Amino acid sequence: MKDTHYDLLTYIYVKYKENNLKFMENYCKMIYRHDNITGGILNLFFMSEKEMIEQLNIYPNELNVIEMLDIVYTELNNHKLLPSDSKFVYGIEGCDYLNGPDDLEKLYHLGVRSINPVWNEKNKFGSGTRYSGGLTELGKELIKKAVDLGIMVDVSHANEETFWDIINLMTALKQQGKEVFVFASHSNCRDLFDEQTNMLKFNQREIESAKKEIFYKRNLTDEQLLAIKNLGGTIGIIAHKAMSLVTIDDNDVAKKEKQKLYFEALGNQFKHIKNLFDGVDNITVASDNMEFFIPFDPVYYTNSNHFQYEDINHQFRMFLNSIGFTDLEIEKVMNNNFETRIYGKLKKIN
């Protein structure tokens, strides 16, 4: 399986700070096996300074992206955390702490091939789902620089204004003859929301409350999904309960009586996007596994993922089979689409 969104690089940095890389050796051996995860996109991700301190114990004086990447790469190599024959792309999720577009050249030479210009916050480049506002002038320069270098632009986490600014700019760049790479690494479909509220028997007050939740805003409309497909991009359907079935309380994911509904909702996501795209050629899968946040919020993060990460390949395949995907469709979604539409198109990672 190729997992198009997992924050392993952040996890490594956190364990490096704890002087506990032996844990990462054992963890990676358990996860990155020939019968489980064999590639995908691995991110170093960034939140607000307050959240970085409270949730990851990373302080403002450490927020130097280049230095953090150097540390992570050193530990990746020294401890041989990934198999030599795996197919991984390295990315930055949230460009808040870059000085400007020129930093992308340094990141490119360090092997970075994917960026999320924004996380949920507003930064110097654009705005995430907690804020309004589109790409800034500096953000437009960032996108142009990424296109020139051959770095993919990930629109997961962008609000609608920033999303459409990215799409419109990349469409214009494509019309100029440039090769563009735009995708959503870990996003589901927002247009299923009415169906979801019927499943949960929401009243109008609950519907309005759910629309304020971050996971409702994180999902993309059919129009947005098609815009990505039309630019040749892919959608990483995410195996996260609260993005499969938007609720009014994140901790609802722990309630056993809802588990069947969560799986039904995830199946509806796959079937809807397959029908929307008239096939599966632009669909990949993502875990956004958040188990390293368990110490911060044990109840939520223990229960937020559909599948156990150490056996996600088998469980995901069984699930797709159960909703009627053929063996060929499953292989495309789980492996081939990543290899041909993402990994195979990128310039060789140094």
Side-chain angles (χ1 to χ4, degrees), residues 29-148:
K29 285 178 183 177
M30 176 177 65
I31 302 300
Y32 301 114
R33 315 182 312 266
H34 73 279
D35 60 344
N36 199 47
I37 307 291
T38 58
I41 301 175
L42 302 176
N43 294 280
L44 187 63
F45 94 100
F46 296 93
M47 305 178 284
S48 68
E49 287 188 358
K50 182 173 183 290
E51 287 166 309
M52 294 295 284
I53 294 170
E54 292 178 348
Q55 300 184 32
L56 296 174
N57 197 34
I58 297 174
Y59 286 81
N61 66 307
E62 299 175 70
L63 293 173
N64 183 309
V65 180
I66 306 299
E67 289 181 3
M68 292 172 74
L69 271 176
D70 275 334
I71 289 169
V72 169
Y73 287 160
T74 297
E75 302 308 329
L76 268 171
N77 293 327
N78 287 349
H79 294 268
K80 296 181 172 58
L81 298 180
L82 297 175
S84 58
D85 59 347
S86 55
K87 296 179 179 178
F88 285 104
V89 174
Y90 299 136
I92 302 296
E93 182 180 15
C95 292
D96 304 49
Y97 306 104
L98 298 186
N99 295 314
D102 287 345
D103 278 358
L104 286 186
E105 289 200 30
K106 300 174 187 175
L107 294 176
Y108 179 86
H109 289 298
L110 282 170
V112 169
R113 294 295 183 270
S114 171
I115 58 164
N116 292 74
V118 296
W119 187 65
N120 293 328
E121 305 293 311
K122 179 190 285 284
N123 66 23
K124 61 177 72 75
F125 303 113
S127 294
T129 47
R130 290 176 180 165
Y131 293 88
S132 60
L135 277 180
T136 64
E137 289 304 311
L138 200 61
K140 293 173 185 176
E141 293 304 312
L142 183 81
I143 301 303
K144 292 175 184 176
K145 190 75 170 179
V147 169
D148 287 342

Side-chain angles (χ1 to χ4, degrees), residues 73-315:
Y73 287 160
T74 297
E75 302 308 329
L76 268 171
N77 293 327
N78 287 349
H79 294 268
K80 296 181 172 58
L81 298 180
L82 297 175
S84 58
D85 59 347
S86 55
K87 296 179 179 178
F88 285 104
V89 174
Y90 299 136
I92 302 296
E93 182 180 15
C95 292
D96 304 49
Y97 306 104
L98 298 186
N99 295 314
D102 287 345
D103 278 358
L104 286 186
E105 289 200 30
K106 300 174 187 175
L107 294 176
Y108 179 86
H109 289 298
L110 282 170
V112 169
R113 294 295 183 270
S114 171
I115 58 164
N116 292 74
V118 296
W119 187 65
N120 293 328
E121 305 293 311
K122 179 190 285 284
N123 66 23
K124 61 177 72 75
F125 303 113
S127 294
T129 47
R130 290 176 180 165
Y131 293 88
S132 60
L135 277 180
T136 64
E137 289 304 311
L138 200 61
K140 293 173 185 176
E141 293 304 312
L142 183 81
I143 301 303
K144 292 175 184 176
K145 190 75 170 179
V147 169
D148 287 342
L149 288 168
I151 293 176
M152 300 186 298
V153 178
D154 185 351
V155 293
S156 290
H157 283 286
N159 69 10
E160 287 201 45
E161 295 162 280
T162 296
F163 173 94
W164 286 113
D165 282 349
I166 291 172
I167 292 295
N168 292 335
L169 177 54
M170 296 192 86
T171 299
L173 293 171
K174 184 176 182 179
Q175 290 171 348
Q176 294 171 18
K178 297 195 174 184
E179 190 170 16
V180 302
F181 299 89
V182 63
F183 74 121
S185 66
H186 59 306
S187 295
N188 288 345
C189 178
R190 192 191 305 171
D191 282 9
L192 293 176
F193 181 70
D194 289 345
E195 174 187 295
Q196 294 171 351
T197 58
N198 288 333
M199 290 173 67
L200 293 169
K201 298 180 173 61
F202 276 1
N203 58 40
Q204 192 58 39
R205 180 189 62 78
E206 291 170 322
I207 289 172
E208 294 306 314
S209 178
K211 286 182 176 180
K212 296 176 183 177
E213 291 297 318
I214 193 69
F215 289 118
Y216 172 82
K217 297 175 182 178
R218 281 280 325 281
N219 283 342
L220 303 174
T221 65
D222 283 359
E223 185 182 10
Q224 289 176 297
L225 295 170
L226 285 169
I228 294 169
K229 175 182 180 288
N230 291 339
L231 279 171
T234 58
I235 309 298
I237 299 179
I238 179 173
H240 188 291
K241 293 177 185 175
M243 289 188 69
S244 304
L245 182 66
V246 177
T247 68
I248 55 176
D249 178 0
D250 285 350
N251 280 317
D252 278 353
V253 299
K255 296 180 179 177
K256 291 183 179 179
E257 68 271 17
K258 285 192 169 65
Q259 300 313 302
K260 183 178 179 182
L261 292 180
Y262 282 116
F263 275 103
E264 183 178 343
L266 180 62
N268 290 342
Q269 293 284 349
F270 274 96
K271 289 183 282 190
H272 177 82
I273 296 175
K274 173 186 169 180
N275 290 335
L276 182 70
F277 286 179
D278 194 27
V280 302
D281 288 350
N282 295 78
I283 298 174
T284 58
V285 292
S287 72
D288 199 18
N289 183 274
M290 301 296 288
E291 60 190 17
F292 61 93
F293 269 133
I294 286 175
F296 176 73
D297 188 342
V299 174
Y300 176 65
Y301 288 112
T302 298
N303 294 281
S304 61
N305 303 304
H306 279 289
F307 308 111
Q308 295 176 336
Y309 203 47
E310 62 268 27
D311 193 32
I312 191 172
N313 177 54
H314 174 71
Q315 293 179 40

